[in-house]
Amino acid sequence: MAADTKARVKELTEALKNTYHITPGLAVVIVGDDPASRVYVNNKKKACEAVGFVSEEYALPAETTQEELLALVETLNSKPDINGILVQLPLPKHLDDKAVIAAINPQKDVDAFHAVNVGKIMLGEYDFLPCTPAGVMEMLHSYQIPVEGRECVVIGRSNIVGKPMGMLLLHENGTVTICHSRTKNLAEVCRRADILVAAVGIPKFVKADMVKEGAVVIDVGMDRDENGKLCGDVDFENVKDKCSFITPVPGGVGPMTIATLMKNTLKACKLQNNIAD
Ligand code: NAP
């Protein structure tokens, strides 16, 4: 699915270049040397190349100041050849990620983390959707998994995954419960789910006894197991035979997130150039 989405973006990008002589551009800013962030940034760069975008990487040292980072965001805001700006999170602790996100021009906020875009999503009138939850919704649509009227349980309430995930399921008329670290009787709540989304950040957190027979299980987690191997928030081996659909890690939500980022950047480019979608 991710490959199909990127192929479609590539096709539309070529059309844009041929008709309007415009090439979408994405700037990715990374501060410090977090190895996981480095992998994500490399994957995003590769995806940009594959679909024919211009990609600019700004790798800043860990000791970068807030002022320096904000100045870079301002520069990128005013660069006409850059349509999307992505600041890779998490930032080093001395930097204020909220202020950095607030400084990004909402029209270039292809992660949809800016308060303007978050508010638009809440109202259901958005330009961009955050890449991870949007990728999940696209998977549900593609596999014709209905949401309307079904019990949807999201574990995790972060601003980048859990909360927008809950909102998108609600927009499609799911009955949504968002769980977090203070939720009581978590296993019992999860067992109600027809659609269970795990965005916790704890390896193999969701066990088979938390999953209803026949449920759809979406694993957003990108964790490391006891051997340092990439795994998800779901105990895949023990859950997979109990559910009707399950997304693997690696290879599930992650690639869809990047494909959605490409779609958002193309859309940003069209919006900024007043080209109909
Ligand atoms: P986060 O900001 O750390 O949020 C984790 C959430 O899980 C919090 O809401 C927390 O509750 C909740 N939680 C923690 N322990 C819990 C427990 N014992 N019981 C119930 N809830 C618990 O993480 P995130 O940024 O949302 O990311 C979640 C996972 O998704 C991570 O593995 C991350 O690497 C992955 N991720 C993947 C992609 C992708 O493209 N595939 C994209 C983004 C993130 P509180 O709010 O109460 O603390």
Side-chain angles (χ1 to χ4, degrees):
M1 272 194 67
D4 284 351
T5 302
K6 283 191 287 183
R8 177 87 185 120
V9 171
K10 184 176 181 198
E11 221 172 85
L12 294 169
T13 300
E14 264 159 30
L16 197 68
K17 286 182 191 175
N18 292 337
T19 315
Y20 299 97
H21 310 291
I22 294 170
T23 304
L26 177 69
V28 181
V29 180
I30 176 170
V31 187
D33 45 19
D34 177 57
S37 293
R38 173 42 59 203
V39 172
Y40 301 149
V41 166
N42 287 348
N43 288 343
K44 288 165 188 172
K45 257 171 71 179
K46 269 192 229 154
C48 280
E49 278 158 28
V51 300
F53 292 174
V54 167
S55 82
E56 290 184 0
E57 182 187 312
Y58 295 85
L60 307 181
E63 53 278 9
T64 300
T65 65
Q66 182 78 9
E67 291 68 33
E68 286 166 337
L69 184 53
L70 290 175
L72 173 61
V73 169
E74 265 321 307
T75 305
L76 296 173
N77 278 341
S78 52
K79 272 188 96 174
D81 53 337
I82 288 299
N83 307 109
I85 303 170
L86 185 153
V87 178
Q88 185 65 44
L89 301 178
L91 289 171
K93 290 214 162 39
H94 68 282
L95 296 171
D96 176 0
D97 55 359
K98 287 198 182 79
V100 174
I101 291 167
I104 297 173
N105 175 348
Q107 285 207 343
K108 295 191 176 187
D109 170 41
V110 283
D111 263 335
F113 293 165
H114 191 287
V116 167
N117 289 321
V118 174
K120 285 183 168 182
I121 293 161
M122 186 91 172
L123 298 172
E125 298 159 5
Y126 43 78
D127 297 318
F128 312 112
L129 288 174
C131 301
T132 300
V136 170
M137 294 313 292
E138 203 165 318
M139 283 199 274
L140 295 177
H141 297 155
S142 179
Y143 286 92
Q144 297 178 348
I145 295 168
V147 173
E148 182 159 329
R150 300 181 89 194
E151 291 282 347
C152 305
V153 174
V154 180
I155 321 174
R157 57 172 163 180
S158 70
N159 289 333
I160 64 172
V161 188
K163 281 185 204 162
M165 187 71 252
M167 192 54 63
L168 299 193
L169 290 163
L170 184 62
H171 284 328
E172 299 204 6
N173 302 316
T175 301
V176 179
T177 306
I178 301 184
C179 302
H180 45 79
S181 64
R182 321 280 170 86
T183 297
K184 301 236 186 304
N185 306 321
L186 181 70
E188 197 183 307
V189 177
C190 290
R191 275 195 299 274
R192 291 206 304 258
D194 299 310
I195 299 173
L196 178 63
V197 182
V200 195
I202 301 176
K204 304 181 187 179
F205 178 81
V206 175
K207 307 289 182 206
D209 67 356
M210 295 165 74
V211 177
K212 181 162 90 174
E213 200 70 48
V216 173
V217 178
I218 307 285
D219 191 350
V220 176
M222 297 254 253
D223 312 314
R224 297 275 162 189
D225 70 9
E226 57 283 4
N227 304 313
K229 209 173 141 220
L230 185 62
C231 72
D233 288 346
V234 178
D235 182 4
F236 185 89
E237 277 311 311
N238 294 309
V239 169
K240 70 179 186 342
D241 295 328
K242 212 172 171 186
C243 47
S244 53
F245 288 89
I246 184 166
T247 64
V249 179
V253 175
M256 285 306 296
T257 298
I258 293 184
T260 308
L261 174 66
M262 299 300 110
K263 268 175 64 175
N264 281 358
T265 305
L266 178 64
K267 186 162 189 190
C269 177
K270 287 185 170 176
L271 282 172
Q272 286 157 40
N273 289 287
N274 298 316
I275 297 167
D277 206 16

